[in-house]
Amino acid sequence: MAVPHRRSSRYFLMAFAAMVLGIFLAASSAWADGSSGVPNAVPPKGEHEGKNVEQPIEFPHNIHVDINKINCMYCHTYARRSKVAGIPPTSKCMGCHLVIATDKPRIKKLTEYWEKKEPPRWKKVHDVPDFVHFTHEKHLKRFVFDNEGMSVDRVSEVCAFCHGEVKKMTVAHKVKPLNMGFCARCHEANKGPFDCWKCHK
Amino acid sequence: MSLDNILTNWSRYRKGAEEGGFHEYEHQWGMVVDLNKCIGCNACSVACYAENNLPVVGEKRCGKNQAMNWLRIERYWDEPDLAPYEAIPTANVDAWIEGNPPAKKTELKPSMPSSYLPGLLEQDGQSFEQRVGFDGTKSEFQDFGASFLPMMCQQCHAATCEPVCPVAATYHTPDGLNAQVYNRCIGSRYCSNNCPYRLRYFNFWSYYEDAWPEPLHMQLNPDLSVRDKGVMEKCTFCIQRIRVAKDKAKMEDRKVIDGEFSTACVQTCPTGALVFGDMQNPESQVSKLWSYHQVERGKTKQNKENKELRGYRILEGLNTDPSVLYLERVREV
């Protein structure tokens, strides 16, 4: 039988190697969740296969966010100061697209809407039931603005907690369950309020 | 709201109000109702209906005591012989206004029910004793001595409704409020039967089907769910307004300021009979009134130095520890 205090240095070396490997694995699995970079935050766990929502114009999030590095809050302005993130008005789209990529078919479609003075009827992808009170502003305050070491440029990593990797998507697609368990697990991990009346109304 | 949470919550206040426990609360929303100022106009009740998506159930269901008035005005009558003046014919009213009051009463009037609770006594065609009003017409009510008592959920700190709920749909919030979670409620109605104030209301029907016909549904408050059949509900001290105020305060990194917001009934009261605020804040109007009237939380009997003070809590002897302070009405006689 092995006596613990007589372990040779080789055991220590192996243990050390295993530890390093373990840390590496943990880090890589966190990386796979897509939100390891946000300090002081434990991303909520949960997967969901949402339906494909057909939009009037296939809006490519990846071109805007991933390639052109536009901040989420540039278009979804209301996220930082109200309950809802909001959909940008067509004027915001046209602010750029009067000059950028005007020959692309989707932009032509958008220009048509703009000239008709009619907004594209965007469909809602992420929706919580009517009996739920959820504010974007408080969550952004906690995870972005009041979060030490978190820069506002990386806000999409925080958005990805609940909306998935939208910057890799074209049309937004629901990939997180957004049910009570999903919210509650995150509130538990990040020490959020745990009172029914905080969210239920 | 895990099971642990519920159990700690329960054990904390079930120790008895004297031992305290509510001091840990984040806020303590409380109310003061000055019955001297209450004129029984029912504006608070109407405001409550508008704010909290309460259905108007109709006369029949109201008669069956199914009205959903979270805030009701209870009407009480003095004994008729306590009325200060002789009944006078209409012709003499002008003289009375001009400064010649009628003679003080000499003989007793026929007796009336001393208390009147709408929906309870008047149902099934039972009528009150008729009497002659001061203008000579037959009247159901006496001329003097009506007094009004607005009754909303008393938000008891040792609420009797909470421990009897089989599914923990009603519990105590960190704000010291008595919460009702509609999604969790299974409609057993134990809470309603255990409430000494009868301030919980049950949805016997899907009232929304006919309470808000086509254009009227646009006036529903979106900050609040519309309850369906089989769910218990009650006054929440306008939790949706509290929530907004607290969110705003949190965004600005400050505490909620006294008077920053109020509940719908308080906002509407034309005479300012109702006062709402945070009792944890010693500077708030509510806590000043409570301390002025020498009423303390967590007691079943108040030891007042000054017996003239008007403050009292309804049925506080039951150790429910309500959050609403009533200021007694002072009568003319």
Side-chain angles (χ1 to χ4, degrees):
Chain A
M1 195 184 273
V3 185
H5 65 267
R6 289 188 65 195
R7 275 182 186 153
S8 68
S9 60
R10 194 198 284 169
Y11 281 103
F12 283 109
L13 205 67
M14 277 171 72
F16 181 70
M19 218 168 73
V20 169
L21 193 72
I23 288 168
F24 177 73
L25 281 175
S28 62
S29 70
W31 183 253
D33 284 348
S35 40
S36 66
V38 180
N40 311 319
V42 184
K45 291 192 181 75
E47 295 298 320
H48 176 78
E49 192 45 56
K51 286 178 196 158
N52 285 321
V53 182
E54 220 172 280
Q55 300 288 1
I57 302 169
E58 283 172 30
F59 179 82
H61 277 94
N62 54 351
I63 294 175
H64 291 82
V65 186
D66 205 26
I67 299 172
N68 292 314
K69 308 281 179 226
I70 298 173
N71 197 304
C72 302
M73 290 189 297
Y74 179 75
C75 298
H76 300 286
T77 348
Y78 312 109
R80 62 177 175 274
R81 53 189 158 96
S82 85
K83 276 172 79 172
V84 290
I87 285 172
T90 318
S91 57
K92 185 154 259 172
C93 307
M94 295 310 288
C96 296
H97 284 297
L98 275 177
V99 284
I100 297 172
T102 43
D103 53 337
K104 300 277 171 63
R106 288 179 196 142
I107 307 302
K108 279 181 180 162
K109 213 170 167 186
L110 180 76
T111 320
E112 258 174 54
Y113 276 109
W114 175 245
E115 278 161 6
K116 273 193 285 179
K117 295 191 174 173
E118 185 184 289
R121 301 284 165 112
W122 302 109
K123 303 259 170 57
K124 213 165 181 181
V125 178
H126 294 89
D127 198 4
V128 287
D130 284 350
F131 53 77
V132 175
H133 167 86
F134 174 86
T135 57
H136 276 87
E137 57 171 351
K138 271 178 90 179
H139 287 86
L140 281 182
K141 184 180 158 74
R142 158 70 180 83
F143 290 113
V144 183
F145 300 116
D146 282 1
N147 200 357
E148 232 172 275
M150 179 69 196
S151 88
V152 179
D153 301 341
R154 288 160 55 208
V155 71
S156 67
E157 291 169 37
V158 172
C159 300
F161 282 8
C162 305
H163 295 285
E165 290 277 278
V166 178
K167 64 177 177 186
K168 298 265 156 59
M169 298 177 196
T170 50
V171 176
H173 183 73
K174 196 174 166 186
V175 291
K176 301 282 180 181
L178 300 191
N179 52 18
M180 184 173 148
F182 181 77
C183 297
R185 277 197 297 276
C186 188
H187 272 232
E188 203 161 26
N190 294 303
K191 298 191 176 57
F194 232 74
D195 173 28
C196 304
W197 260 5
K198 263 277 168 344
C199 312
H200 282 276
K201 60 183 191 181
Chain B
M1 197 77 207
S2 62
L3 187 65
D4 277 357
N5 220 329
I6 295 168
L7 290 176
T8 45
N9 237 336
W10 279 0
S11 55
R12 188 164 57 193
Y13 72 83
R14 276 296 125 192
K15 277 175 192 159
E18 277 87 356
E19 286 172 48
F22 46 78
H23 305 292
E24 310 157 21
Y25 289 156
E26 203 179 320
H27 298 281
Q28 250 188 68
W29 305 112
M31 205 179 267
V32 177
V33 182
D34 191 343
L35 298 179
N36 246 359
K37 290 182 186 168
C38 180
I39 53 171
C41 68
N42 270 302
C44 48
S45 189
V46 174
C48 186
Y49 266 84
E51 172 75 21
N52 292 307
N53 296 344
L54 298 182
V56 178
V57 297
E59 196 182 348
K60 257 189 182 173
R61 287 165 180 170
C62 202
K64 289 176 185 165
N65 210 6
Q66 293 176 1
M68 306 300 287
N69 43 357
W70 285 4
L71 198 169
R72 61 169 187 249
I73 304 282
E74 288 183 359
R75 184 169 49 191
Y76 295 96
W77 295 102
D78 282 353
E79 291 298 330
D81 50 298
L82 287 176
Y85 299 111
E86 182 96 44
I88 48 165
T90 321
N92 291 7
V93 171
D94 294 337
W96 186 10
I97 293 164
E98 278 159 24
N100 302 313
K104 287 272 180 184
K105 197 170 53 192
T106 47
E107 60 181 46
L108 293 179
K109 293 278 159 18
S111 66
M112 286 285 296
S114 58
S115 69
Y116 169 74
L117 197 57
L120 283 182
L121 296 176
E122 211 182 13
Q123 59 188 358
D124 300 327
Q126 182 194 348
S127 62
F128 291 105
E129 202 177 331
Q130 298 254 307
R131 55 153 290 158
V132 181
F134 69 83
D135 54 350
T137 54
K138 285 210 164 184
S139 164
E140 197 181 333
F141 307 112
Q142 59 193 51
D143 299 335
F144 299 100
S147 53
F148 306 101
L149 185 85
M151 275 297 270
M152 69 296 282
C153 176
Q154 306 286 302
Q155 309 288 358
C156 313
H157 276 250
T160 47
C161 51
E162 287 170 18
V164 292
C165 181
V167 290
T170 177
Y171 73 101
H172 228 64
T173 70
D175 283 7
L177 288 180
N178 181 230
Q180 175 75 20
V181 185
Y182 308 123
N183 298 67
R184 193 173 265 182
C185 180
I186 55 166
S188 68
R189 288 184 276 152
Y190 284 122
C191 54
S192 171
N193 288 325
N194 219 31
C195 175
Y197 307 100
R198 286 288 173 271
L199 285 162
R200 287 178 154 264
Y201 301 93
F202 187 67
N203 285 275
F204 283 95
W205 311 94
S206 292
Y207 297 113
Y208 64 84
E209 286 171 359
D210 50 0
W212 300 284
E214 199 39 52
L216 287 183
H217 70 283
M218 301 296 284
Q219 57 122 37
L220 289 170
N221 187 351
D223 295 338
L224 202 74
S225 52
V226 177
R227 283 78 55 187
D228 202 349
K229 179 163 65 181
V231 169
M232 188 59 76
E233 61 185 56
K234 65 164 194 77
C235 163
T236 60
F237 269 11
C238 287
I239 180 66
Q240 64 278 14
R241 292 179 176 217
I242 295 176
R243 201 184 279 132
V244 166
K246 277 175 72 182
D247 279 2
K248 201 178 163 205
K250 183 108 189 223
M251 287 305 289
E252 291 166 12
D253 285 321
R254 58 171 172 85
K255 282 191 164 183
V256 178
I257 304 164
D258 185 44
E260 186 185 356
F261 76 104
S262 61
T263 59
C265 49
V266 174
Q267 186 190 8
T268 314
C269 183
T271 57
L274 301 153
V275 181
F276 174 81
D278 182 8
M279 287 166 54
Q280 204 84 300
N281 172 11
E283 292 305 306
S284 72
Q285 208 186 343
V286 170
S287 51
K288 278 179 183 165
L289 276 167
W290 277 63
S291 56
Y292 175 78
H293 286 277
Q294 296 176 2
V295 177
E296 282 176 45
R297 301 301 297 261
K299 283 191 174 174
T300 51
K301 207 179 173 191
Q302 306 294 340
N303 301 316
K304 290 184 188 177
E305 289 165 29
N306 184 357
K307 300 288 176 198
E308 299 281 288
L309 293 173
R310 302 186 286 133
Y312 73 98
R313 294 187 295 171
I314 294 177
L315 298 181
E316 73 178 349
L318 298 178
N319 195 10
T320 51
D321 199 6
S323 305
V324 182
L325 176 71
Y326 286 86
L327 306 184
E328 211 174 327
R329 189 169 179 194
V330 180
R331 304 307 297 268
E332 198 181 341
V333 182

